Amino acid sequence: MLRIQAIRDQKDAIIEALKKRNIDATPLIQEVLELDEKRRATQTKLDNTLAEANKLSKEIGMLFKSGKAQEATALKEKTGALKEESKQLGDELNAAADTLQTLLYQIPNVPHESVPAGNSEEDNEEVFAEGDIPELTSNALPHWELAKKYDIIDFELGVKITGAGFPVYKGKGARLQRALISYFLDKNSEAGYTEIQVPHLVNEASGYGTGQLPDKEGQMYHVTEDDLYLIPTAEVPLTNMFRGEIVNEKDFPFCYTAYTPCFRREAGSYGAHVRGLNRLHQFDKVEIVRVERPDDSYVALDGMVEHVKTILRELKLPYRILRLCGGDLGFTSALTYDFEVFSTAQDRWLEISSVSNFETYQANRLKLRYKDANGKSQLAHTLNGSSLALPRVLAGILENYQTENGIQIPEVLVPYCGFSTID
RNA sequence: GGAGGAAUGGCAGAGUGGUCGAAUGCGGCAGUCUUGAAAACUGUUGAGGGUCACACCUCCGGGGGUUCGAAUCCCUCUUCCUCCGCCA
């Protein structure tokens, strides 16, 4: 959520920047400012009323103490009207504050200046590419065929147990999954990210903290009995560790990594592009999250991008990095880099990581602050990225590493797997 | 799941109707002393709204109530602890 102070100070710049997202925020911002004005005016009135009531109460106390009960009783009568007034003003204040909050939730984050304008993924800007696209034989198979051929992933079995989008990994497939998780976690730990295990269900407040709520509840599985949500990403519990915290400036940066399964309803996604591992309701992901001092957050973002690069380099997968355009940028993000691996047998790019800087947008919702040198509270910056999402990396490995004699395991994974070929 | 107890500032912990945003200790920060550090001593140290700055207002787990007045009394929810039951 944008800071109301920022909207007051830089209204025009914010409206201008939001145009990159192809929205005209003018009416919304205008409404916000009017409401903010009203809220503050009401607050002042209420404060004055309460101040008067407080004063009277004190006087009554004194009078009773000095035995002047009659005068005290006379004063009591005056408080009735004040009470009535403050109640009404309080209700007005709450109503204004609630509406203001609702409006603020509707304004997306302001894109970073480097974000290109654009409407769709077509307009994303390729900023980097690396790795050779392998020459496959003419009878090369997409990963879902390979999974069946070597009996390592069973989609039908998942349908039987749960439903579409819940695959069952078997034998070397399961082992390869576990190897990837361990490998990613090890790489992240080496890079200074502290490994964490988090709950896979979160409460409503956490959903609001990172921005899944109130807008995207349809994307999360909701356990209504206990009012908990299955996490769509480890970002939610990891970032919410900091909800309501005031951290010490000298403790920056905070770097965490966690492996979790991720649950997404993916309502409305069907068709060829969601075949196999391309889009699932449950998948595994290793996430990295950072909390930074505002001045350092873009250096940190670059650092995260470099880190993910080293992993893909070691896996020897062909990939590219896109800077998302305004139209494709997530609601809460200021700048996002997507990593895509080339799926040779499908002849398409698959998104495997998304690395974002949210600046103060999440921190403002989370009330995640630090004390600056002057002892003032400031909002921190939050960032996160996948490092990495498993299914599409797996798809990339299966397809790009397929040979006549089976699927070769990338060298760095062999020690984790305990085998070098799936055949 | 049943019975009882508890929730106060970074932490510990006092406060059971008015002068309490809250004693005290620890921790943090600044200073004195010291070549420097430690110790000792002195000062300072919750958050939010509001203001040019003050004033002022709100917050003692969340919500509601009683009262002129609530950290303190009542209701309710949540969480934690103890005992019992169940159990990976």
Side-chain angles (χ1 to χ4, degrees):
Chain A
M1 161 170 92
L2 294 182
R3 289 170 306 129
I4 187 69
Q5 191 62 51
I7 296 177
R8 272 188 228 152
D9 294 346
Q10 307 153 39
K11 171 187 152 199
D12 295 332
I14 288 173
I15 289 173
E16 192 56 37
L18 285 173
K19 284 183 182 160
K20 271 195 201 161
R21 289 186 183 266
N22 311 310
I23 59 168
D24 178 12
T26 313
L28 202 51
I29 298 263
Q30 200 55 47
E31 207 180 332
V32 162
L33 287 174
E34 280 165 22
L35 226 84
D36 177 49
E37 196 73 40
K38 189 182 168 204
R39 199 209 87 230
R40 276 185 295 161
T42 312
Q43 176 89 60
T44 305
K45 267 198 243 168
L46 175 62
D47 284 359
N48 292 338
T49 311
L50 288 174
E52 207 175 322
N54 286 344
K55 220 174 85 189
L56 281 178
S57 290
K58 268 184 194 154
E59 280 175 31
I60 290 170
M62 303 279 246
L63 288 172
F64 270 124
K65 246 181 201 161
S66 52
K68 298 175 184 161
Q70 206 161 15
E71 286 178 50
T73 312
L75 271 188
K76 268 195 199 180
E77 275 163 31
K78 282 172 76 179
T79 59
L82 289 174
K83 222 176 161 184
E84 195 58 39
E85 194 181 344
S86 61
K87 177 157 170 43
Q88 199 183 329
L89 285 169
D91 289 347
E92 253 177 70
L93 181 68
N94 285 341
D98 283 355
T99 315
L100 183 60
Q101 179 85 332
T102 307
L103 290 178
L104 284 173
Y105 277 144
Q106 292 168 31
I107 305 174
N109 201 355
V110 174
H112 185 256
E113 58 183 5
S114 70
V115 170
N119 297 312
S120 70
E121 54 188 58
E122 307 289 310
D123 303 309
N124 293 336
E125 183 186 337
E126 183 176 319
V127 293
F128 189 81
E130 192 175 31
D132 298 324
I133 293 168
E135 294 281 335
L136 298 183
T137 55
S138 56
N139 58 353
L141 298 171
H143 68 264
W144 54 87
E145 302 281 355
L146 292 166
K148 196 165 203 160
K149 179 174 170 185
Y150 297 109
D151 194 26
I152 51 173
I153 307 171
D154 196 329
F155 293 97
E156 285 77 22
L157 192 52
V159 170
K160 171 175 157 179
I161 298 169
T162 306
F166 293 89
V168 175
Y169 300 88
K170 297 157 79 174
K172 285 184 171 176
R175 184 72 187 256
L176 179 53
Q177 280 276 110
R178 182 153 61 89
L180 280 166
I181 293 164
S182 294
Y183 167 67
F184 291 152
L185 284 172
D186 283 354
K187 291 296 290 182
N188 296 344
S189 294
E190 277 167 33
Y193 295 89
T194 304
E195 187 172 337
I196 303 278
Q197 289 199 0
V198 291
H200 298 167
L201 282 84
V202 293
N203 58 28
E204 194 178 42
S206 291
Y208 276 95
T210 32
Q212 279 68 32
L213 297 174
D215 279 346
K216 282 160 265 181
E217 51 257 278
Q219 284 298 328
M220 288 195 288
Y221 288 97
H222 186 194
V223 183
T224 51
E225 180 90 33
D226 298 293
D227 202 16
L228 296 173
Y229 296 86
L230 275 74
I231 55 170
T233 159
E235 166 198 346
V236 180
L238 276 181
T239 310
N240 272 284
M241 294 198 302
F242 290 90
R243 175 152 45 85
E245 294 295 316
I246 299 178
V247 301
N248 215 322
E249 187 175 18
K250 62 173 188 271
D251 292 335
F252 282 122
F254 297 88
C255 308
Y256 292 106
T257 184
Y259 151 71
T260 67
C262 302
F263 303 91
R264 299 187 182 181
R265 296 188 60 232
E266 300 292 358
S269 305
Y270 299 99
H273 273 197
V274 305
R275 271 195 91 167
L277 295 171
N278 290 346
R279 192 174 292 277
L280 301 169
H281 288 305
Q282 179 182 329
F283 64 95
D284 295 298
K285 182 157 64 67
V286 176
E287 185 81 356
I288 50 178
V289 162
R290 298 179 72 125
V291 177
E292 294 277 349
R293 189 169 40 194
D295 287 347
D296 301 332
S297 70
Y298 279 97
V299 173
L301 182 68
D302 290 343
M304 291 165 83
V305 168
E306 287 306 313
H307 172 65
V308 175
K309 275 186 186 174
T310 63
I311 294 176
L312 289 166
R313 231 171 247 152
E314 282 192 358
L315 288 173
K316 298 197 169 86
L317 287 170
Y319 70 96
R320 65 178 185 180
I321 303 175
L322 305 173
R323 185 186 282 130
L324 295 192
C325 74
D328 211 21
L329 191 64
F331 193 82
T332 54
S333 176
L335 178 59
T336 296
Y337 292 104
D338 268 9
F339 282 70
E340 296 185 334
V341 71
F342 193 71
S343 159
T344 310
Q346 295 181 76
D347 191 31
R348 58 184 282 235
W349 295 94
L350 298 176
E351 184 195 327
I352 47 159
S353 175
S354 197
V355 182
S356 304
N357 187 352
F358 302 93
E359 298 188 1
T360 59
Y361 195 88
Q362 286 182 332
N364 193 28
R365 286 196 180 186
L366 292 160
K367 297 285 169 273
L368 160 51
R369 292 156 296 175
Y370 69 97
K371 291 265 189 221
D372 67 14
N374 302 319
K376 295 253 310 177
S377 292
Q378 303 286 353
L379 292 171
H381 280 194
T382 60
L383 304 93
N384 70 48
S386 346
S387 176
L388 287 156
L390 277 276
R392 295 177 190 158
V393 170
L394 187 58
I397 290 172
L398 296 179
E399 293 183 13
N400 291 337
Y401 277 88
Q402 62 181 300
T403 69
E404 300 278 327
N405 308 314
I407 295 159
Q408 297 301 310
I409 299 296
E411 219 174 302
V412 290
L413 293 179
V414 173
Y416 287 93
C417 283
F419 53 84
S420 55
T421 316
I422 296 174
D423 50 16

